Amino acid sequence: MYTITRVMALNVLSYLTEQFSPSVVDQLSQHLNETPAHVQKAVGGTLPALLGGLASRVGQGGADDIIDLLKKGTYSKETTPIDASQVVDTREETGQAVANGRTFINGILGDNAPRIAEHIAQYSGVQPASALSIMSLAGSVLMGVLGRQQHEQGLSDLNLKSLLLGQTDIVRGALPVGLSGVAGLLGLDALRTPTGGPTEVQGADHFSGTPLNPNIPKSTDGERQRENVRWLRWAMFALAALVIALIVQKCREPQNGVDGVYTDTTRRAEPDAVEDTTASTLQNIEDANGQTSDSTVPGALGIRTPVQLPGGRQINVAERSFNANLAAFMASKDRSTPRTFRFDNLTFETGSARITTDSRSNLNDLIQIMQAYPTLSIRVEGHTDNTGNGQTNQKLSLDRANAVRAALTEAGIEATRIVTQGFGSSKPVASNNTEEGRGQNRRIDVIVTKV
């Protein structure tokens, strides 16, 4: 019998991501005769695609079918894994898990499963058969987690729908830019996280008697529905109070940026030049970010509002965030250039040019804006704090700017519309003597050069 000893992550995607550790990827790549780098990239596309497909299925009324599949399908507490490391020691174990998981993903994705595998194969560099095996293995682990919840904690169709739709924005944001075709196949653009934000799967192991998700009661079907109604009523009151408190707090306190990143080798860099620090540019930064002294402070972030773009596009952005300000500028009558915007909600992994998963949705919004305004041209400028070697910082700042450009061009934005520059630590906006100041200096600026 499989056991679980670690604490469940705050969301389903995070939990599945943890299963594919470097050692698991290495073993799996040997079984599939693929390189670890290609397998890792395939996993990065597979997990959000699989969860997106499941969310789409339950969002279209298929939650009952998924519950039936867990009850009557190939799920077994004794043989279905909830930890990928338990089924990659041998080819035989992996093959059995893949076979069981394939039934589950076919129930989720239907006829789209082979086509999604083709997309993932093209994106990652693995063979289509390997992509399908990776999807199936991930499906086996997902089936193990949900099946254990259904059998032991009474997971219902309503619980499943609430859990998955509550994390739609997280899943959609994690889907790599290069897999936009998968989003179309799954209908992810039509899904929206219900009001109240992501649903969290909160801690616990499977043998403590505490549900992984406290929203899932142990009761008969009739009692469970009545309990859910009562629970939801009180939860909505509590959530409303919490949101009001957070809004008040956000309005009173300044926000700070966080360091982070994503790699790409595509580059079109201009030579380092003198940064525009004229009064008009500084005023533009102030107007775009709603601050009088620190343009990196975005204001009351966290309240997401829909923004309509030309061509019928729509993005959901945090108020006064980079994308909200850029979209408002492009829709305004006064579109004088150059106009500088601080990409406040773009973060990178420390010391690298790898864009964090949490930032993908913000980058996707920029892609949507540039697709909606085909004449929009920008300059992406990278900056660092003064920690470390000056030459290293200059290269890192340029690499980060190039990573943004690479993500945009990968999504189909013409390379001629984007230029990059790296200033290293030479253009600070705050003191480097404090952690707060260094956090403000680690930034990406986007300058609109043509509309």
Side-chain angles (χ1 to χ4, degrees):
M1 175 176 25
Y2 294 113
T3 61
I4 182 169
T5 57
R6 80 172 67 115
V7 176
M8 193 81 162
L10 288 180
N11 60 66
V12 182
L13 179 60
S14 293
Y15 177 75
L16 290 179
T17 301
E18 289 176 358
Q19 303 311 303
F20 289 87
S21 63
S23 61
V24 169
V25 169
D26 285 344
Q27 290 176 292
L28 185 58
S29 63
Q30 293 177 17
H31 299 333
L32 298 176
N33 293 320
E34 304 280 1
T35 67
H38 288 166
V39 170
Q40 185 64 67
K41 192 172 184 180
V43 169
T46 292
L47 301 183
L50 181 60
L51 288 176
L54 184 56
S56 180
R57 179 68 187 277
V58 302
Q60 295 171 6
D64 282 335
D65 295 335
I66 300 301
I67 294 297
D68 285 342
L69 191 60
L70 294 172
K71 289 180 178 178
K72 305 172 184 178
T74 57
Y75 170 77
S76 166
K77 181 178 179 179
E78 285 71 32
T79 60
T80 304
I82 52 178
D83 190 328
S85 65
Q86 297 168 322
V87 291
V88 292
D89 287 338
T90 67
R91 290 180 184 271
E92 290 72 20
E93 288 179 330
T94 303
Q96 184 61 50
V98 165
N100 290 338
R102 188 159 299 168
T103 301
F104 189 60
I105 66 166
N106 286 339
I108 295 172
L109 303 175
D111 294 338
N112 282 329
R115 285 185 284 179
I116 291 173
E118 288 280 355
H119 278 281
I120 292 173
Q122 293 176 5
Y123 162 74
S124 65
V126 302
Q127 294 297 315
S130 297
L132 189 57
S133 293
I134 293 169
M135 287 172 56
S136 300
L137 180 59
S140 184
V141 175
L142 179 60
M143 177 172 61
V145 173
L146 296 179
R148 187 69 61 89
Q149 284 291 293
Q150 195 283 316
H151 283 263
E152 295 188 0
Q153 311 298 348
L155 180 69
S156 69
D157 56 335
L158 295 176
N159 299 142
L160 180 62
K161 184 174 181 180
S162 175
L163 173 66
L164 293 171
L165 295 188
Q167 299 184 24
T168 298
D169 285 346
I170 296 174
V171 171
R172 183 169 43 239
L175 192 67
V177 175
L179 289 177
S180 56
V182 171
L185 282 175
L186 298 176
L188 287 183
D189 292 337
L191 292 176
R192 290 290 178 266
T193 294
T195 302
T199 300
E200 293 186 350
V201 182
Q202 302 176 1
D205 64 54
H206 287 276
F207 303 100
S208 65
T210 303
L212 285 172
N213 186 341
N215 303 353
I216 303 174
K218 293 183 180 180
S219 60
T220 63
D221 289 341
E223 291 173 345
R224 184 179 304 130
Q225 293 180 5
R226 288 191 293 273
E227 290 170 2
N228 283 343
V229 170
R230 290 194 295 270
W231 177 87
L232 286 172
R233 184 182 297 117
W234 285 108
M236 290 303 293
F237 282 127
L239 185 59
L242 177 60
V243 169
I244 292 172
L246 287 175
I247 292 173
V248 173
Q249 181 181 8
K250 290 289 184 180
C251 290
R252 290 179 177 175
E253 297 180 358
Q255 307 279 326
N256 292 325
V258 181
D259 188 31
V261 187
Y262 166 111
T263 51
D264 205 305
T265 57
T266 305
R267 297 186 177 185
R268 177 172 176 255
E270 290 184 341
D272 282 356
V274 177
E275 186 179 37
D276 184 1
T277 56
T278 61
S280 60
T281 295
L282 295 177
Q283 182 63 44
N284 288 340
I285 295 175
E286 176 183 322
D287 294 341
N289 292 277
Q291 304 295 328
T292 58
S293 61
D294 181 5
S295 61
T296 65
V297 180
L301 295 178
I303 306 172
R304 303 189 74 84
T305 56
V307 173
Q308 298 295 331
L309 300 174
R313 300 175 187 273
Q314 176 179 299
I315 57 176
N316 292 311
V317 295
E319 291 182 0
R320 301 173 71 183
S321 66
F322 162 73
N323 285 310
N325 293 329
L326 177 59
F329 168 73
M330 293 302 297
S332 68
K333 293 181 179 180
D334 179 15
R335 299 197 297 177
S336 57
T337 58
R339 177 65 68 95
T340 299
F341 297 88
R342 188 65 37 79
F343 207 151
D344 49 60
N345 43 10
L346 177 70
T347 57
F348 298 83
E349 294 178 7
T350 303
S352 78
R354 184 177 296 278
I355 296 172
T356 61
T357 300
D358 290 342
S359 297
R360 294 306 178 100
S361 61
N362 300 319
L363 197 58
N364 288 340
D365 287 339
L366 175 58
I367 291 168
Q368 292 286 323
I369 293 172
M370 295 197 71
Q371 289 174 339
Y373 295 97
T375 59
L376 170 62
S377 295
I378 62 174
R379 182 170 70 250
V380 182
E381 296 181 350
H383 302 268
T384 69
D385 59 26
N386 66 349
T387 304
N389 179 270
Q391 290 184 343
T392 301
N393 286 338
Q394 195 280 329
K395 180 179 183 302
L396 176 61
S397 66
L398 181 58
D399 286 346
R400 289 182 170 183
N402 282 327
V404 174
R405 180 177 182 272
L408 297 177
T409 57
E410 184 180 346
I413 305 300
E414 294 180 5
T416 55
R417 298 170 59 191
I418 312 154
V419 295
T420 58
Q421 287 182 278
F423 290 97
S425 60
S426 65
K427 304 292 181 181
V429 295
S431 171
N432 278 306
N433 294 329
T434 66
E435 180 56 38
E436 180 180 357
R438 289 190 293 273
Q440 294 173 16
N441 291 332
R442 297 188 297 266
R443 68 194 191 276
I444 290 289
D445 287 341
V446 174
I447 294 84
V448 176
T449 57
K450 178 183 176 182
V451 294

